[in-house]
């Protein structure tokens, strides 16, 4: 079974890093968004199993994407991956439905653990 993943980050290097950090023993269909508005557009037209989301992006930031999903009553699993790990920011993203908050630079083992906790492994 393939897991449909959307990686949303304005940095191509960060998107590549996140994709490389995905556990190797699973099959993925991966889509990429370069900003929050692009992520929202993809989320409106495609069903994903998992969203790996940066917070600091142009046009619409990660919080805006989470607000969109919250308004849609989405049950999509979202893992936020951000260098902005202030406690208040973490509280906000969790209150908007993010399942996990991981710090950049992303640790491959932390991502695997988060995915395990969400039932992917």
């Amino acid at each position: 079974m393939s897991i449909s993943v959307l990686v949303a980050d304005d940095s191509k290097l960060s998107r590549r890093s996140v994709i490389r950090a995905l556990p190797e023993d699973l099959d993925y269909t991966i889509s990429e968004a370069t900003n929050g508005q692009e992520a929202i557009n993809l989320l409106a037209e495609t069903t994903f199993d998992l969203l790996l989301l940066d917070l600091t992006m142009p046009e619409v930031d990660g919080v805006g994407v989470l607000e969109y999903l919250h308004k849609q009553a989405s049950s999509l699993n979202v893992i936020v991956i951000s260098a902005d790990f202030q406690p208040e920011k973490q509280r906000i993203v969790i209150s908007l439905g993010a399942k996990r908050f991981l710090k950049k630079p992303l640790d491959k083992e932390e991502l695997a653990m988060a995915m395990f906790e969400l039932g992917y492994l």
Side-chain angles (χ1 to χ4, degrees):
M1 178 176 91
S2 182
I3 299 170
S4 179
V5 179
L6 174 58
V7 179
D9 195 310
D10 60 315
S11 164
K12 184 174 184 172
L13 180 64
S14 290
R15 289 193 311 274
R16 292 287 163 235
S17 175
V18 168
I19 292 167
R20 280 193 304 272
L22 288 166
E24 296 172 10
D25 51 345
L26 296 173
D27 182 36
Y28 304 97
T29 302
I30 298 174
S31 298
E32 298 180 45
T34 61
N35 61 59
Q37 186 58 57
E38 191 175 316
I40 289 171
N41 294 345
L42 287 167
L43 290 163
E45 58 192 42
T46 307
T47 301
F48 294 96
D49 299 310
L50 177 64
L51 170 58
L52 302 173
L53 179 67
D54 183 32
L55 291 181
T56 308
M57 295 184 291
E59 294 190 42
V60 176
D61 65 5
V63 172
V65 174
L66 288 167
E67 288 171 341
Y68 165 81
L69 290 169
H70 188 72
K71 287 177 187 168
Q72 302 299 315
S74 173
S75 61
L76 176 65
N77 284 326
V78 180
I79 297 174
V80 169
I81 303 169
S82 180
D84 182 2
F85 48 88
Q86 300 168 40
E88 179 62 16
K89 187 68 78 167
Q90 290 181 45
R91 186 194 65 73
I92 290 168
V93 300
I94 297 300
S95 73
L96 289 171
K99 305 293 187 198
R100 300 288 182 278
F101 191 107
L102 304 179
K103 298 175 186 175
K104 283 184 179 180
L106 180 61
D107 180 278
K108 190 173 186 171
E109 299 303 320
E110 286 183 9
L111 179 58
M113 181 56 73
M115 290 181 68
F116 173 78
E117 291 169 353
L118 293 173
Y120 294 108
L121 299 173

